[in-house]
Amino acid sequence: MDFELDDTVATVRDFVHAFADQTLRPLAREADEKGKLPAGVIKQLGQLAGNRATIMAEERVQTSEDKKPIGAMVGVVGSEELAWGDPAVLLNIPGPGLAAPSITAAGTPEQKKRFLADIFNVESEEPRFGALAVTEPQAGSDVSNVQTTAVRDGDEWVLNGTKVYCTNGARADIVVVNATLDKSLGRAGQKFFVIEKGAPGFKIGKIEKKMGIRASETAEFALDDCRVPLDNILGGVDALEAAREGSGFKGTMKTFDSSRPSVAAMALGIGRAAYEYARDWAASELPMSSNFTRRNAITSKLGTMKRELDSARGLIWRAAWMADNKIPNSKEASMSKAYAPQAALRCCIGAIQIMGPEGYSKEHLVEKWFRDIKVYDIFEGTGQIQRVIISRAILGRLDK
Ligand SMILES: Cc1cc2nc3c(=O)[nH]c(=O)nc-3n(C[C@H](O)[C@H](O)[C@H](O)COP(=O)(O)OP(=O)(O)OC[C@H]3O[C@@H](n4cnc5c(N)ncnc54)[C@H](O)[C@@H]3O)c2cc1C
């Protein structure tokens, strides 16, 4: 087994790290205090990120020089670096965001071009965002309970329902929502629909005020007889037949198989930021002459943090490698998502513990990372839900 990163992946990692270090990290504190970034800065972020949006869309780095598929590895390695820079500022970088995995997994080639390559074209002057809205007031962990409906009316779909906690949901140029075509089919009756900005009946609700990732927009919206063209069902109108045959829900789950390792990688990036900060603080603030017992406790804690971060990275890279090699990775994606956020949370707590009151102070970013990390154990499926998925995969579905 080769743990060396492919040259292309390593180049992307170094490029993204420099961007995270020089651009994202310096914006972190002010963005957290204000709860948002100025529009001009968001525009600059889009320009500075250069062709990142396109990389994440159609022309994403898919193969190494010797033609091995590496798209998923690029995704997790880049996500770790960006979140290391700042997780909330990262979510303000224009691009398709979580809309991309669902369109990539369930869209037709024409839809991938129309909703990803065309909209998130590097030539576009204005920042553009994509979002994925699955969660509803009564359905998040239990995706099968989604109440939003889609009904065909001639050349259009008419959607009704409420979506909550949607990252970038209010400013998105496209929002991918899952809705049920036929409740009698249960979860098999769900499909993804793309709602474009300005669609009639798309009504933005409240913007959440949050404990962490405060500069990231989290929105509620209602679909009130919201009309979208017939072609906006992901997979095309033929998807309707697939839903009748019972494969609709699989599209939703396939999306998570590709997005969960990336979200786990973001958690890893936050944990690594806290670990490195505490390590460097200890090296400069605690000279060799300081209390031996305290030094020993700190070095031991740092060792544990590093071990947990490396374990998380192993799980994440395995899930990404499997995706690149077209090996089903639901269980492994969930393992990475179950482990990394909690390991990173322990690292953030450890960093505060090492630094004592300084770790609690707003003089340092450690207290912010501690607030930011928790949501990684909530969105894209909570830690508990990942455990349910893993145990079902290990034991077989006992409730079949
Ligand atoms: C900042 C933020 C951004 C978000 N962004 C998005 C987004 O962009 N798109 C989107 O669709 N959603 C988003 N979400 C929503 C998030 O994905 C859901 O909140 C999450 O999946 C949990 O679902 P729920 O809200 O239904 O909670 P619930 O399912 O009600 O969970 C409540 C608690 O019960 C536990 N629980 C539930 N079922 C079980 C079970 N079977 N076994 C054990 N424990 C269980 C959960 O683990 C959790 O601890 C975001 C949330 C936040 C906070």
Side-chain angles (χ1 to χ4, degrees), residues 98 132-135 139-141 164-167 210 213 218 375 378-382 384-385 388:
L98 285 176
L132 172 70
V134 172
T135 308
S141 300
V164 293
Y165 292 105
C166 180
T167 301
K210 309 186 297 295
I213 57 164
T218 311
V375 77
I378 298 175
F379 56 24
E380 288 293 294
T382 67
Q384 288 77 20
I385 293 306
V388 171

Side-chain angles (χ1 to χ4, degrees), residues 49-379:
N51 61 359
R52 177 178 175 272
T54 308
I55 288 172
M56 295 299 285
E58 191 188 48
E59 290 169 28
R60 171 176 194 158
V61 180
Q62 291 291 358
T63 51
S64 63
E65 279 176 14
D66 57 1
K67 302 290 172 218
K68 279 190 297 191
I70 52 168
M73 274 304 281
V74 167
V76 295
V77 166
S79 295
E80 178 183 338
E81 297 308 323
L82 289 170
W84 176 92
D86 187 69
V89 178
L90 147 63
L91 294 169
N92 280 279
I93 300 174
L98 285 176
S102 49
I103 295 171
T104 305
T108 62
E110 186 274 333
Q111 288 172 329
K112 288 176 197 171
K113 178 175 180 314
R114 191 171 140 223
F115 296 128
L116 293 176
D118 290 354
I119 293 181
F120 298 98
N121 189 321
V122 281
E123 308 293 320
S124 85
E125 282 289 305
E126 290 308 309
R128 293 193 173 158
F129 289 91
L132 172 70
V134 172
T135 308
E136 300 184 357
Q138 305 304 326
S141 300
D142 186 5
V143 183
S144 62
N145 197 32
V146 157
Q147 299 297 309
T148 297
T149 54
V151 176
R152 184 172 176 172
D153 181 21
D155 287 345
E156 292 178 322
W157 296 103
V158 183
L159 289 104
N160 279 286
T162 302
K163 295 286 180 180
V164 293
Y165 292 105
C166 180
T167 301
N168 289 329
R171 64 180 166 194
D173 295 89
I174 54 162
V175 184
V176 176
V177 302
N178 61 331
T180 181
L181 288 161
D182 184 345
K183 278 191 182 157
S184 70
L185 290 172
R187 56 196 200 181
Q190 287 180 30
K191 292 306 294 179
F192 280 126
F193 297 82
V194 180
I195 304 178
E196 291 159 278
K197 200 176 202 133
F202 182 88
K203 296 180 178 168
I204 295 164
K206 73 169 168 173
I207 307 294
E208 295 292 337
K209 290 194 162 61
K210 309 186 297 295
M211 159 179 141
I213 57 164
R214 296 189 63 250
S216 166
E217 177 192 276
T218 311
E220 177 183 310
F221 61 84
L223 302 171
D224 185 5
D225 282 336
C226 178
R227 288 182 172 267
V228 300
L230 206 58
D231 285 349
N232 285 26
I233 183 170
L234 286 185
V237 183
D238 294 345
L240 194 56
E241 286 310 310
R244 292 217 170 88
E245 285 156 19
S247 63
F249 187 66
K250 286 182 188 148
T252 311
M253 293 296 110
K254 214 169 140 194
T255 296
F256 291 136
D257 293 347
S258 77
S259 59
R260 280 177 178 153
S262 280
V263 174
M266 290 179 201
L268 169 62
I270 301 169
R272 193 184 109 213
Y275 157 77
E276 289 176 359
Y277 200 98
R279 178 199 62 193
D280 295 348
W281 180 91
S284 74
E285 299 294 321
L286 294 179
M288 289 303 285
S289 57
S290 65
N291 178 306
F292 172 78
T293 316
R294 183 174 178 199
R295 277 193 67 83
N296 208 21
I298 286 175
T299 50
S300 167
K301 164 94 29 214
L302 285 168
T304 303
M305 288 158 73
K306 175 76 173 137
R307 172 164 53 78
E308 292 206 62
L309 293 172
D310 283 4
S311 303
R313 192 175 294 105
L315 290 171
I316 292 164
W317 283 15
R318 178 178 66 170
W321 177 87
M322 290 174 78
D324 279 337
N325 287 282
K326 310 264 178 291
I327 301 169
N329 71 343
S330 283
K331 171 163 57 65
E332 289 75 14
S334 284
M335 283 181 169
S336 69
K337 177 67 174 60
Y339 186 78
Q342 293 191 3
L345 173 60
R346 288 191 289 274
C347 284
C348 292
I349 294 171
I352 294 177
Q353 188 178 324
I354 288 168
M355 295 172 66
E358 286 204 45
Y360 198 71
S361 161
K362 292 214 170 194
E363 288 296 313
H364 304 277
L365 284 169
V366 168
E367 63 78 30
K368 184 183 115 58
W369 291 321
F370 171 67
R371 286 185 285 111
D372 289 342
I373 188 61
K374 181 57 193 168
V375 77
Y376 288 80
D377 198 35
I378 298 175
F379 56 24

